[in-house]
Amino acid sequence: GSYMREKIIMIYRNPVSYSTDGRNQDNNFMIWKLTDKEFEKLWKLNIWEKLGEICNLDMGRFSDAEFTGKNLYKARDFLIKECLKYEEPEIRKLKSFFENGILRKTGVSISF
């Protein structure tokens, strides 16, 4: 069948290392399950692609990416600029995830 993976953006409650299971439900602080419409809107604005370029991560249509450390700041700064360009609630919501990742000193995980 044409199983569609859930598109999820998540902030960790506690810092995780790659060796631990990032999918550990107890460690989810905030979670956003994107609808196809939300995903496509951000796709058409090249948000995913640009985020990947800025943070040197592969952000294809089917990918998992972990934003930690400096990348949280790079992503947030990029999204602040995008918020000024576009009046899209999805960009604001995405920005809030990176802001919260910075505040919690953890990371943002994206899975498509």
Side-chain angles (χ1 to χ4, degrees):
S2 60
Y3 169 68
M4 288 294 293
R5 277 174 46 151
E6 279 190 307
K7 298 172 176 63
I8 292 173
I9 300 180
M10 199 173 82
I11 297 176
Y12 298 128
R13 191 178 297 282
N14 305 300
V16 289
S17 64
Y18 289 102
S19 58
T20 59
D21 175 21
R23 295 232 172 273
N24 174 358
Q25 294 300 309
D26 298 335
N27 204 22
N28 295 356
F29 170 61
M30 271 170 73
I31 192 160
W32 175 16
K33 292 183 181 181
L34 287 92
T35 63
D36 287 336
K37 199 174 169 186
E38 288 171 326
F39 176 83
E40 291 298 335
K41 189 188 267 191
L42 292 167
W43 180 269
K44 287 194 179 85
L45 293 172
N46 283 329
I47 298 296
W48 306 122
E49 194 185 339
K50 288 182 199 160
L51 267 180
E53 278 172 25
I54 287 165
C55 297
N56 210 8
L57 295 167
D58 179 31
M59 297 281 293
R61 201 171 261 278
F62 300 100
S63 59
D64 293 303
E66 305 279 337
F67 293 81
T68 53
K70 286 194 176 74
N71 276 345
L72 289 171
Y73 294 89
K74 287 181 187 172
R76 180 204 56 187
D77 294 347
F78 160 69
L79 290 165
I80 286 171
K81 290 185 194 119
E82 295 298 291
C83 282
L84 298 173
K85 266 196 271 184
Y86 308 106
E87 272 297 310
E88 301 292 351
E90 290 84 356
I91 300 178
R92 282 202 298 279
K93 187 169 180 178
L94 190 55
K95 177 169 68 79
S96 76
F97 269 72
F98 286 98
E99 287 168 345
N100 276 288
I102 289 167
L103 287 173
R104 298 191 75 81
K105 297 181 171 61
T106 58
V108 175
S109 160
I110 294 184
S111 171
F112 299 142

